[in-house]
Amino acid sequence: MGKVDVLLGLQWGDEGKGKIVDVLTPNYDMVARFQGGPNAGHTLEFAGEKYVLRSIPSGIFQGDKVNLIGNGVVLDPILFREEVEGLLKCGHKLTERLVISRKAHLILPTHRLLDAAGEVALGATKIGTTGKGIGPTYTDKVARRGLRVGDIELDFQERYSRAKQRHLSMLRGMGVEIPDLTEVEKTFFEAVEYLRTFRFVDSEFEINNALRTGKKILAEGAQGSMLDIDFGSYPFVTSSNTICAGSCIGLGVAPHQIGDVYGIFKAYCTRVGEGPFPTELFDETGKLLAERGHEFGSVTGRPRRCGWIDLVALRYTIMINGVTKLIMMKSDVLDTFSTIKACRAYKIDGIETRNFPYSIEQTIEPVYDTLPGWNCDLTAYERESDLPKEFLAYVAYLEQELEVPITVLSVGPDRKQTIVR
């Protein structure tokens, strides 16, 4: 029997998962997305080109791999078509390599309207969604009213019409002025027809049959563990389970078939949108991290908030994911700092704790350890043995605090700038 290895982000997303999936895929037969939608972008850089994938698994650039969009994903036909056509222009053929679960839910044009109206209604307490309709689509799924990819093969027009009328009724109840949907619906139905050119599968059989024949599968998570609907910094979270257990639900695999769990984290910390962020920096250091790390959302372009690494949150996400191997990204962003800080504990009401609390909206004082910086350009290094001793000391400190080995160090954006330990 083959195994499903899981690769996921351990922070608030944007950890650099796309690059690492691309680096790891040569070892796998199939790459599968198990949750999330086009609100998250995975950026890959190689051969002087930069690609942002939103719904398509990051194994698409390896010619002989099967890439699967799993049942836990929510899919926007319009954005999916745009993404595919963009890749085709660059010479990447997808139709033979990409299969889509019939049980994946569809994002409708009215889901986007509901998303925007919901954020307006929340006012100052808004979540900071990307406005892509993700939340309302998952809401329909849980309320047992969603449309799925498999419905395209049935009486889709009728099902769409019922869903649309229900959404319009909700929007009127919220006092929203309904725009003319003629153009967007024309584009939507053209995109649905385009979707039909891909193979729809019962993905749970596709995956389990592959496992039976000894195939190796990599499950690719979107966003980060701190955005998980159950275990993240609720309510400032996404609408799906971003943690390792979500791969079982989002693909239809049994827990005992999970192999290695790769946990990806940045050498520092970032967050997009609203919500608490204990180690956030509002000073020049925070600005410098954002500048050096080019910290802008790959899909939204929104600036990311930056801070020192948060080991309290990392220990927590390592625990709930059962992480077996750690991967540290963007190490080179810290190249110019003479000292580097790491939050090893929180102080709440004067009491120090290493446990992640129920709510981080209360006043939290980070307790920092200070380590010497390496003050040199890491992007030029290709071997671990050549790396500066201060950098290796930072890695050793993190391993001691997190109690899991760091097996990969990323020292630049290109797939070549990756040191496997």
Side-chain angles (χ1 to χ4, degrees), residues 13 45 64 91 112 163 201 236 238 241 245 276-277 322 327 342 383 394 405:
E45 289 185 40
D64 56 341
R112 285 184 152 214
V201 297
F236 301 98
T238 194
N241 285 113
F277 180 2
I327 297 171
R383 289 190 301 272
Y394 182 61

Side-chain angles (χ1 to χ4, degrees), residues 127 226-239 271:
I127 306 296
M226 291 306 302
L227 295 173
D228 184 90
I229 185 69
D230 283 289
F231 296 100
S233 50
Y234 192 89
F236 301 98
V237 291
T238 194
S239 302
R271 177 159 201 170

Side-chain angles (χ1 to χ4, degrees), residues 328-341:
M328 183 159 81
M329 307 300 293
K330 289 198 159 183
S331 312
D332 52 300
V333 173
L334 300 179
D335 283 354
T336 61
F337 293 95
S338 54
T339 58
I340 290 159
K341 290 187 176 182

Side-chain angles (χ1 to χ4, degrees), residues 42-70:
H42 291 177
T43 304
L44 299 88
E45 289 185 40
F46 55 89
E49 294 289 331
K50 184 175 181 175
Y51 303 92
V52 178
L53 301 177
R54 292 177 296 203
S55 298
I56 294 168
S58 301
I60 205 70
F61 300 111
Q62 309 283 345
D64 56 341
K65 311 295 173 187
V66 176
N67 287 265
L68 168 71
I69 294 175

Side-chain angles (χ1 to χ4, degrees), residues 306-323:
C306 296
W308 295 119
I309 197 165
D310 184 336
L311 301 180
V312 180
L314 264 181
R315 282 188 217 104
Y316 176 68
T317 54
I318 286 168
M319 174 184 77
I320 58 178
N321 284 302
V323 173

